[in-house]
Each structure stands twice: as structure tokens, then as C-alpha cells.
């Protein structure tokens, strides 16, 4: 028969209690993969409209991460070309997800003009989560009203599609291969079209290599553009000689501004200058965004901007 000394017995009892306590401890709440700050860009191929923004999503672990809210404080910047820019601040929203990552998101904003200037301050999106919630693909829902059945929503008027990625607030550096696409709205054929827009312009696609450093400068690259007109297509090749970019603070760095200046052919046959609104994705490995349609100002001088005439969307990857 074994005999325990008193100190040994006490230690044995304490160890058993610790094991029992560990075995029955309450599990830590599950963290939701789709959570936090997201940068996004979008494109409407029918008008067209394009833009960028950011939002904050908070899912509820108690619902197995199947529902949650869009927090106030995000922003939607929408560009329509010819200098038309609309800015909407996100005030509210909700998220519902199925077990396969498909779901619905509603975003509500507040502005006098509405999202993209159409007078409606809510939009409902059909969404799909990929990469463990780090990326969200989305399309606008075409119903007349958001899920409540009472709030008119922009998807009834516009056909938006796009992508959101986990916000990256760091610096960017290196060369990015960027592809872009654009379609000219019918109203561009009127006499308000700038003189530099190609006659009968219908659309453009192209690719640029844009090199940047970590100090806010564009250091070089090229831009190739294939333009379609009612008279046929032609191609331009431009050498990037200068430019710069700015980033905001924290997650707002994902709504940056970049401009390039070229030689050789004008960009898409329109101008030697072009400005972009962009978001940083994939931990700095990717840029996504839209052409900025505002008048370009350099050294207090107003200059033509190719983005004024061709609203576009783009995405680019670090080489």
C-alpha cells in the first residue's frame, strides 16, 4: 500500500483540480473572419460610374458570424466624368450571410444628392466572401427597395459591381501593373465633350506600369491604351515621366490620390496627364480604384485630365 506524505498529497490534489478546471473551461468566443476595415472600388458598366471608398464591418460571433452591422464612419466616392464627383458618408448598414459565404449587405448614407448623384441614400448588395473573409465580391441588387421594403435603393437605378479588401494602411513602393477599362456615356456625344476627346469615342481599355517609391513620388512607367470609336479603333503608347501620390491616415489611406504625367502619345489620345482615386489591397500588393474626373491642378495651373473625359475603373498588381 502506497503512503503519501502530506505535501505530496496536496500537490496531487491541486494538479487534479487544475486539470479538471482546464477541461471544463468555457471556450473563447470565435473570431469572425469578415470583420474590420475594408477598402473597395466599384464600376457601373451601363452609365458608367466608378469610385472607391472604405467601410467598417462588425459581425456578431454569437450568430456564428452570420449577421452583423456596417458601422458609421465609412465613405463612398463616386465619379461620373466631366468633373462630377459625389461623396457620401456611411451612417448605417447590416450584413446577413449564409453558411457558404453568400449573403446580403445594405449600406445607408446621408447626402443631398444621394449615391452617385441619383437622389437615393441606400444601396443593397449581393455579396460573396472569399479568402477567408479578407475579400468581398459584390453586385448591386436590382430590387426597388432595400430589405426593409420601405427604403428606395440605388441598385434599382444603377448596376454596380466591385470588390472590397481588408484595409492596408502602410506605405506602397515598387512597380504596379495596372489594367483599366472605360465606356463613354451617350451624353458624351453632345457639345459638352472636351475638344481633346477622340471623335466618336465609345470606350477604352489599356494597361499601365506605374512605379512609385515610399515617399509619395511616381518614378516612371508606361501606359498603353486601346481606344474604340464609331470609326474604328487605334492604340496609344505613353511614357510616364513624373507624378505623385498621397495617402490619408490609418484606413483612410486606402482612398488615395495618384497622378501621372507622360510624354510620347497622349494617354488614350486625350491628355498627357491623368489622375486616379485608388485603394490599397492585399497588404500593399494590389491597387484598385477609378479615374478621377476632376480638373487637374499642377503648380497652380489648371490642366486637362484624361480622367475628365473617360470614367474608368482599374486594378493593378505589384510586380
Amino acid at each position: 500500500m502506497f503512503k503519501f506524505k502530506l505535501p505530496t498529497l496536496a500537490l496531487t490534489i491541486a494538479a487534479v483540480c487544475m486539470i479538471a478546471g482546464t477541461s471544463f473551461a468555457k471556450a473563447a468566443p470565435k473570431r469572425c473572419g469578415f470583420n474590420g476595415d475594408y477598402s473597395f472600388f466599384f464600376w457601373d458598366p451601363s452609365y458608367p460610374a466608378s469610385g472607391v471608398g472604405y467601410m467598417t464591418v462588425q459581425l456578431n460571433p454569437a450568430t456564428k458570424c452570420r449577421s452583423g452591422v456596417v458601422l458609421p464612419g465609412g465613405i463612398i466616392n463616386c465619379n461620373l466624368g466631366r468633373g462630377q464627383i459625389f461623396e457620401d458618408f456611411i451612417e448605417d448598414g447590416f450584413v446577413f450571410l449564409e453558411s457558404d459565404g453568400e449573403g446580403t449587405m445594405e449600406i445607408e448614407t446621408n447626402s443631398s444628392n444621394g449615391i452617385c448623384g441619383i437622389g437615393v441614400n441606400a444601396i443593397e448588395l449581393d455579396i460573396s466572401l472569399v479568402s477567408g473573409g479578407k475579400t468581398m465580391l459584390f453586385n448591386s441588387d436590382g430590387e426597388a427597395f432595400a430589405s426593409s421594403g420601405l427604403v428606395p435603393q440605388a441598385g434599382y437605378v444603377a448596376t454596380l459591381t466591385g470588390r472590397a479588401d481588408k484595409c492596408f494602411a502602410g506605405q506602397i513602393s515598387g512597380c504596379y501593373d495596372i489594367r483599366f477599362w472605360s465606356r463613354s456615356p451617350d451624353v458624351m456625344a453632345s457639345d459638352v465633350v472636351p475638344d481633346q476627346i477622340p471623335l466618336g469615342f465609345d470606350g477604352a481599355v489599356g494597361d499601365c506600369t506605374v512605379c512609385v517609391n515610399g515617399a509619395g513620388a511616381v518614378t516612371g512607367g508606361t501606359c498603353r491604351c486601346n481606344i474604340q470609336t464609331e470609326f474604328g479603333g487605334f492604340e496609344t503608347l505613353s511614357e510616364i515621366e513624373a507624378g505623385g501620390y498621397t495617402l490619408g491616415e490609418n484606413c483612410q489611406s486606402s482612398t488615395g490620390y495618384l497622378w501621372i504625367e507622360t510624354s510620347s502619345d497622349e494617354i488614350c489620345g486625350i491628355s498627357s496627364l491623368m489622375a486616379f482615386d485608388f485603394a490599397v489591397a492585399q497588404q500593399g500588393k494590389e491597387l484598385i480604384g477609378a479615374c478621377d474626373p476632376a480638373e487637374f491642378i499642377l503648380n497652380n495651373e489648371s490642366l486637362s485630365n484624361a480622367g475628365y473625359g473617360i470614367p474608368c475603373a482599374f486594378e493593378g498588381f505589384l510586380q
Side-chain angles (χ1 to χ4, degrees):
M1 182 175 179
F2 294 105
K3 293 183 179 179
F4 291 100
K5 293 182 179 180
L6 195 57
T8 304
L9 180 61
L11 288 172
T12 303
I13 294 172
V16 171
C17 291
M18 289 176 65
I19 293 172
T22 302
S23 301
F24 296 101
K26 187 177 180 180
K30 178 183 177 182
R31 295 184 63 182
C32 302
F34 184 51
N35 238 10
D37 298 325
Y38 285 78
S39 311
F40 62 86
F41 86 117
F42 60 90
W43 166 252
D44 176 0
S46 65
Y47 184 68
S50 59
V52 297
Y54 72 93
M55 62 185 176
T56 303
V57 179
Q58 183 175 300
L59 295 189
N60 184 358
T63 65
K64 298 183 179 180
C65 302
R66 298 275 292 274
S67 67
V69 296
V70 179
L71 297 178
I75 194 170
I76 301 174
N77 286 322
C78 183
N79 302 333
L80 299 186
R82 302 190 316 283
Q84 298 182 82
I85 301 175
F86 298 94
E87 187 173 74
D88 294 274
F89 293 95
I90 296 172
E91 294 195 339
D92 197 8
F94 61 78
V95 182
F96 290 114
L97 293 171
E98 302 294 336
S99 58
D100 60 358
E102 303 288 326
T104 301
M105 173 183 287
E106 184 198 31
I107 296 174
E108 296 187 15
T109 69
N110 184 18
S111 72
S112 57
N113 294 309
I115 298 171
C116 293
I118 61 177
V120 177
N121 288 312
I123 186 164
E124 187 161 304
L125 305 172
D126 295 325
I127 66 174
S128 178
L129 301 184
V130 296
S131 300
K134 295 179 181 178
T135 297
M136 180 187 84
L137 309 178
F138 63 85
N139 292 312
S140 57
D141 187 288
E143 300 295 330
F145 299 96
S147 293
S148 65
L150 301 174
V151 182
Q153 65 107 2
Y156 183 68
V157 180
T159 51
L160 301 180
T161 183
R163 205 184 90 205
D165 285 86
K166 275 278 191 180
C167 169
F168 174 72
Q171 283 293 333
I172 57 174
S173 181
C175 294
Y176 291 83
D177 285 330
I178 293 172
R179 71 180 183 101
F180 63 89
W181 60 95
S182 173
R183 175 184 177 273
S184 177
D186 294 337
V187 295
M188 298 287 265
S190 70
D191 57 3
V192 300
V193 178
D195 293 338
Q196 71 267 30
I197 303 299
L199 187 63
F201 177 81
D202 185 55
V205 294
D207 62 271
C208 299
T209 298
V210 181
C211 299
V212 301
N213 61 24
V218 173
T219 58
T222 59
C223 259
R224 187 183 299 275
C225 181
N226 180 358
I227 304 96
Q228 284 296 314
T229 75
E230 58 183 295
F231 309 107
F234 64 93
E235 189 169 279
T236 63
L237 177 60
S238 308
E239 189 80 18
I240 298 174
E241 293 188 332
Y245 69 92
T246 58
L247 295 172
E249 296 179 358
N250 301 319
C251 188
Q252 294 189 40
S253 65
S254 61
T255 50
Y257 180 79
L258 179 147
W259 64 274
I260 58 176
E261 183 177 4
T262 66
S263 61
S264 308
D265 296 337
E266 293 185 323
I267 302 169
C268 299
I270 298 174
S271 174
S272 60
L273 287 163
M274 194 164 188
F276 304 91
D277 296 321
F278 73 96
V280 183
Q282 302 295 327
Q283 295 298 301
K285 296 179 181 178
E286 188 174 1
L287 303 182
I288 53 180
C291 295
D292 189 291
E295 187 176 47
F296 189 84
I297 307 295
L298 181 62
N299 298 326
N300 296 319
E301 180 183 358
S302 296
L303 302 170
S304 62
N305 168 23
Y308 182 89
I310 54 169
C312 81
F314 72 87
E315 57 184 3
F317 295 86
L318 187 65
Q319 289 182 346

